[in-house]
Amino acid sequence: MIFRKKKKLTKKLPTPTIDTIIIIGNGFDRWQGLNTSYADFQTYYHEHLNEILKKLHIRKRKYISSDGTVKECSDVELIYGDPFDPGELDNEFWNNFESSLADIDTERINLFFGKERRNLKDMRRSIRNAKRILTEAFCGWIATISITEEDAGYCFGDNCVFINFNYTDTLQKRFGVNEMREIHIHGEATDKKSIVFGHNRHPQEPEPMLAKIGGRFFGLHLVDKILYETDKHCQNNIQILCCFLAMNGVMCEEIKNIYVLGQSMSPVDIEYFDFLMRSSKVPSVDNAEEKSNVLETGDELYELTQRMQFVINEIGYHNTASESAKDAMERRLQREQCVRNERYRKEFLKMLGKPTKKELDSVKVAPRTEDARWHISYFGDMDKKWKEIVMKELGCSNYELYPSIDDCISKWKK
């Protein structure tokens, strides 16, 4: 399914014209008084860990601490902390929860478990359990967030669609937004299987040759695999987003305003903003003549060697891969993504049906003459400075920053 939650589809373009995209982030729900910070998740995790372990039939591990006492920990602390002294994970891990999932110390993990077959079997079980525990905890926490139905005092126009990075139905319950106009880009609390969370640093599939070599290379393969599984796979989600926008009759040339409400624009989500930025700008001569991103491919053995070097150095030795190794992995990733994009395209066309020539001829959009205007709320001076940096990096100067969500959406106040 392209859409994680089945939506009623229509071929006719809705009226009026959609010219505004509103992006909803975690700060939006917190503005509405919901306890949705990562600090709240940290509290939930510690309070429910024993219950989760019992449900998943996972035992804690016993270890001898630095002071000689026998203590216990879960596989989460073992894999994402120091395996030789696995105490509680610090606040930095929880405050940056999604990006922290990419920070596994592969060297220490490999040394801790060892390279024999039984050791690697134990390592695989521990890595798998860590993922199971965090997934169960995160989905369980999301399910506890209760939203009362009340009027928030704002009424968004019919010319808006919503890209919601949250898992909640706050827009529907408090702002009267039609669910057909809203996409939960990372899933919904009511559908546990749809929930997506993680980093954005390892979208490429695991390198199978490492597993065949065995020993510590197999241990490296296990880390390679869990990093792939905990990646958000933003490009896949962007394909789903494109389908949603198309089903709502959104034309990128007609987008005049983009609002960012309570979204931190952090590195784990930057691919979405880069896509929206490029889609809502006047095409430049440089962009039109831009060379293909698909890099030239070397011979098969060379490509395999370079990809293995990438995994060994980038994952095993903390981001030390050479440029040639990075290029080889990028080539593979592009090939993988092309296959996935084609699958999304075919599924979308199957859902939509084959349009008639008359329907195709009726869709006429004037070319864009100016960039869309961005309206971005911020929370404090540090957040403001960060968003100025992000907009500069994305090459956008047509934006305005607002010190609160209320200020940013004041025109929709009842």
Side-chain angles (χ1 to χ4, degrees):
M1 284 293 292
I2 284 182
F3 295 108
R4 299 183 179 92
K5 185 174 181 179
K6 192 172 182 181
K7 296 177 181 288
K8 187 183 291 183
L9 305 178
T10 174
K11 292 184 183 180
K12 295 182 179 180
L13 298 182
T15 54
T17 299
I18 304 295
D19 63 7
T20 300
I21 293 177
I22 300 178
I23 300 169
I24 303 295
N26 185 43
F28 187 88
D29 275 359
R30 296 180 69 183
W31 170 60
Q32 286 295 301
L34 305 181
N35 298 321
T36 57
S37 70
Y38 284 137
D40 295 313
F41 173 50
Q42 179 182 5
T43 300
Y44 178 91
Y45 172 84
H46 289 303
E47 290 179 350
H48 294 82
L49 178 58
N50 290 334
E51 176 187 335
I52 291 169
L53 293 175
K54 183 177 181 180
K55 179 180 179 180
L56 299 178
H57 304 288
I58 297 174
R59 294 180 179 179
K60 285 187 175 182
R61 288 174 171 266
K62 292 184 179 181
Y63 69 97
I64 300 176
S65 65
S66 56
D67 61 5
T69 58
V70 178
K71 295 185 178 181
E72 292 182 325
C73 72
S74 78
D75 291 296
V76 172
E77 287 73 37
L78 190 71
I79 298 302
Y80 291 101
D82 182 352
F84 293 98
D85 189 18
E88 284 191 4
L89 298 173
D90 57 25
N91 290 335
E92 184 178 356
F93 173 88
W94 296 107
N95 291 339
N96 303 285
F97 173 65
E98 290 189 290
S99 60
S100 295
L101 296 178
D103 296 329
I104 297 178
D105 193 329
T106 309
E107 284 186 89
R108 293 185 71 80
I109 291 291
N110 250 329
L111 287 171
F112 176 80
F113 282 99
K115 61 182 179 180
E116 301 302 324
R117 180 172 295 183
R118 61 183 178 83
N119 303 134
L120 295 170
K121 184 178 180 180
D122 187 29
M123 179 179 175
R124 176 165 54 189
R125 183 189 304 112
S126 185
I127 289 176
R128 183 176 66 246
N129 285 345
K131 180 175 181 288
R132 291 174 64 205
I133 293 166
L134 285 175
T135 300
E136 184 67 29
F138 193 81
C139 293
W141 169 61
I142 293 297
T144 65
I145 300 171
S146 178
I147 305 168
T148 56
E149 288 196 41
E150 54 187 83
D151 188 348
Y154 293 88
C155 183
F156 294 109
D158 293 334
N159 62 324
C160 304
V161 291
F162 301 82
I163 302 173
N164 198 338
F165 281 78
N166 301 333
Y167 310 96
T168 57
D169 55 358
T170 308
L171 285 174
Q172 296 172 40
K173 286 187 174 180
R174 297 192 177 180
F175 296 83
V177 170
N178 187 325
E179 68 169 346
M180 298 300 295
R181 298 287 194 184
E182 175 189 13
I183 180 173
H184 287 82
I185 196 73
H186 291 152
E188 301 179 55
T190 54
D191 182 6
K192 180 179 177 180
K193 292 182 179 180
S194 74
I195 292 178
V196 175
F197 65 93
H199 55 87
N200 69 335
R201 286 154 53 185
H202 198 76
Q204 66 272 14
E205 295 180 10
E207 187 57 60
M209 184 57 71
L210 292 169
K212 295 179 181 179
I213 296 175
R216 295 203 188 279
F217 288 100
F218 187 83
L220 184 57
H221 168 75
L222 293 176
V223 176
D224 190 21
K225 183 179 179 182
I226 193 64
L227 290 176
Y228 172 75
E229 292 176 351
T230 53
D231 191 282
K232 282 183 174 181
H233 302 290
C234 296
Q235 291 302 317
N236 292 351
N237 297 328
I238 286 173
Q239 292 298 311
I240 296 173
L241 172 60
C242 288
C243 295
F244 163 78
L245 295 174
M247 296 310 300
N248 276 279
V250 179
M251 301 291 183
C252 62
E253 295 88 351
E254 296 176 336
I255 297 301
K256 296 178 181 178
N257 293 286
I258 298 177
Y259 287 78
V260 183
L261 308 179
Q263 224 289 354
S264 62
M265 303 178 78
S266 67
V268 295
D269 293 324
I270 202 64
E271 290 179 64
Y272 300 111
F273 292 97
D274 178 60
F275 165 75
L276 291 169
M277 190 74 66
R278 288 185 286 105
S279 301
S280 60
K281 293 181 70 173
V282 176
S284 66
V285 175
D286 291 338
N287 289 338
E289 297 179 352
E290 191 178 72
K291 294 182 179 180
S292 170
N293 286 328
V294 179
L295 306 173
E296 292 184 8
T297 305
D299 67 81
E300 189 173 338
L301 181 59
Y302 171 82
E303 292 292 301
L304 174 60
T305 303
Q306 291 300 314
R307 292 199 308 269
M308 290 182 64
Q309 286 299 318
F310 175 88
V311 178
I312 292 169
N313 293 318
E314 195 73 8
I315 299 174
Y317 294 105
H318 310 294
N319 308 316
T320 59
S322 66
E323 288 303 316
S324 59
K326 291 178 181 178
D327 287 345
M329 188 57 79
E330 178 64 22
R331 286 190 285 271
R332 179 185 172 187
L333 174 59
Q334 289 183 17
R335 292 194 295 271
E336 292 171 354
Q337 193 60 51
C338 283
V339 173
R340 289 191 287 266
N341 290 353
E342 180 63 14
R343 186 170 67 246
Y344 282 114
R345 187 188 71 85
K346 288 181 177 179
E347 188 174 347
F348 175 68
L349 291 176
K350 184 178 179 180
M351 290 169 54
L352 187 64
K354 187 176 181 180
T356 65
K357 186 176 184 304
K358 183 178 180 181
E359 288 174 325
L360 290 173
D361 291 341
S362 67
V363 181
K364 296 181 180 179
V365 184
R368 179 180 288 280
T369 58
E370 61 180 352
D371 297 347
R373 178 78 169 167
W374 287 67
H375 309 263
I376 306 169
S377 71
Y378 65 87
F379 184 76
D381 292 338
M382 288 184 63
D383 191 36
K384 179 182 180 182
K385 185 176 181 180
W386 168 252
K387 286 172 177 174
E388 289 173 340
I389 293 172
V390 169
M391 297 305 281
K392 182 178 180 180
E393 288 292 318
L394 293 176
C396 177
S397 58
N398 189 19
Y399 69 91
E400 185 173 355
L401 298 176
Y402 301 81
S404 70
I405 293 176
D406 291 289
D407 291 332
C408 195
I409 62 173
S410 59
K411 75 174 188 177
W412 287 298
K413 193 170 183 62
K414 293 181 179 178

